[in-house]
Amino acid sequence: MAGRTTAVVLAGRRDGARDPLAMAAGVTHKCLVPVAGQPMLLHVIDALAANRRIGEIRVVIEQPELLRDLAPLRGLIASGRLKGIGAQPNLVDSVLASAEGAAFPLLITTADNVLLTPDAVDEMIDGCAAAQADAAVAFTRRAFVLAAHPEGQRKFYRFADDSYSNCNTYWLRDRAALKAAETFRSGGQFVKHPLRIVGAFGLINLIRFRYGIGTLEQAFGRFSRRFRLRISPVILSDGAVAIDVDNARTRDVAEQVLAGRTTLAVAAE
């Protein structure tokens, strides 16, 4: 696996709380909620394992032994390609725990990112290389999201050049880039909680963010100066990657998109 990217999948419970989807499905973790017939975590791992540029896959979850209960993962675990990491109470500390002993670079995503694809992983890795980034965040354009599904996403980051959605996919080139993860110590989810940007990026950046002043590239240029790292946005062409499963509505949307992909794959055969 030398020279490959290590994938980190964040599958723990936010603040240790039970998720409504998990409770409705009768499972302990949101990542185990069925989507299109299998736990959502498996969709993410399938996409990562199918990409030859991904080496080890590290799943961060409170009870790593739960992974052995998922039969499709046992082969990956036995081969050493998949490893469970104990989740920490804070998102950033979970990322730091996942990086212990890991080979860099790291590609970090979440267990509810069920529409991730091997091609999107390639696009992210290529975009990071092209930008010569120390750290990167995946975005896609509003038009791409709506093309994937008209109800796929309802909130977007608005900038002067376009509106974007975060794709819950991040990249860290080396251990020094881990300090960029500190931006999420407050919990992330900046669209839902804009005031968290004050702590992460500063008041002026909050004002620019809130009123769409400047382009996405310009915003990340300011973030780079603040952290003294080259932090870049990478724009993915598949808007579906921005549709993570947060509730019953987005689960239904994800299942529709997955069904459409299956139909296309069958038609292509």
Side-chain angles (χ1 to χ4, degrees):
M1 297 186 190
R4 295 185 183 180
T5 296
T6 298
V8 173
V9 182
L10 300 173
R13 293 180 291 206
R14 185 178 293 276
D15 301 323
R18 288 290 300 279
D19 179 83
L21 277 179
M23 289 190 287
V27 295
T28 57
H29 287 68
K30 178 184 170 184
C31 69
L32 301 178
V33 172
V35 175
Q38 69 175 7
M40 64 173 76
L41 173 64
L42 296 187
H43 290 285
V44 179
I45 292 177
D46 284 346
L48 295 168
N51 188 297
R52 295 185 178 182
R53 297 162 78 177
I54 296 295
E56 186 180 36
I57 301 169
R58 295 183 161 209
V59 179
V60 182
I61 189 169
E62 286 85 358
Q63 298 166 274
E65 62 272 15
L66 291 174
L67 301 177
R68 295 188 177 275
D69 294 336
L70 301 174
L73 299 185
R74 290 172 190 158
L76 288 170
I77 293 170
S79 70
R81 193 176 181 196
L82 189 143
K83 179 179 181 181
I85 303 291
Q88 303 301 307
N90 184 277
L91 178 63
V92 173
D93 291 330
S94 287
V95 171
L96 295 176
S98 75
E100 277 297 315
F104 280 78
L106 300 185
L107 179 82
I108 303 167
T109 191
T110 55
D112 58 7
N113 196 7
V114 300
L115 299 178
L116 184 69
T117 65
D119 286 345
V121 172
D122 274 334
E123 197 170 11
M124 180 64 173
I125 294 173
D126 289 340
C128 294
Q132 297 182 319
D134 296 310
V137 181
F139 288 89
T140 189
R141 298 181 186 276
R142 180 178 183 273
F144 296 167
V145 178
L146 298 182
H149 195 287
E151 290 295 318
Q153 186 63 265
R154 292 177 174 174
K155 293 184 178 180
F156 296 89
Y157 297 93
R158 181 171 57 88
F159 289 91
D161 56 325
D162 206 343
S163 293
Y164 299 89
S165 183
N166 182 286
C167 294
N168 280 345
T169 305
Y170 311 91
W171 190 84
L172 300 174
R173 183 172 69 179
D174 53 29
R175 199 162 296 278
L178 278 172
K179 66 180 180 180
E182 287 291 335
T183 60
F184 294 94
R185 187 167 290 281
S186 63
Q189 296 189 309
F190 296 126
V191 164
K192 297 178 183 177
H193 306 283
L195 286 177
R196 290 178 178 174
I197 300 175
V198 173
F201 301 119
L203 179 60
I204 298 301
N205 285 326
L206 170 61
I207 294 170
R208 290 178 176 275
F209 173 89
R210 193 76 178 85
Y211 295 100
I213 300 171
T215 66
L216 181 65
E217 286 282 354
Q218 289 169 341
F220 272 79
R222 292 190 294 273
F223 301 158
S224 296
R225 290 189 291 274
R226 182 175 178 86
F227 288 93
R228 297 182 182 179
L229 293 169
R230 185 186 293 271
I231 307 175
S232 301
V234 174
I235 310 303
L236 303 185
S237 58
D238 184 358
V241 185
I243 306 170
D244 55 337
V245 177
D246 275 335
N247 48 45
R249 179 186 67 82
T250 48
R251 180 183 59 191
D252 290 344
V253 168
E255 289 184 333
Q256 291 170 35
V257 174
L258 289 167
R261 287 178 179 174
T262 299
T263 299
L264 288 174
V266 170
E269 291 179 355

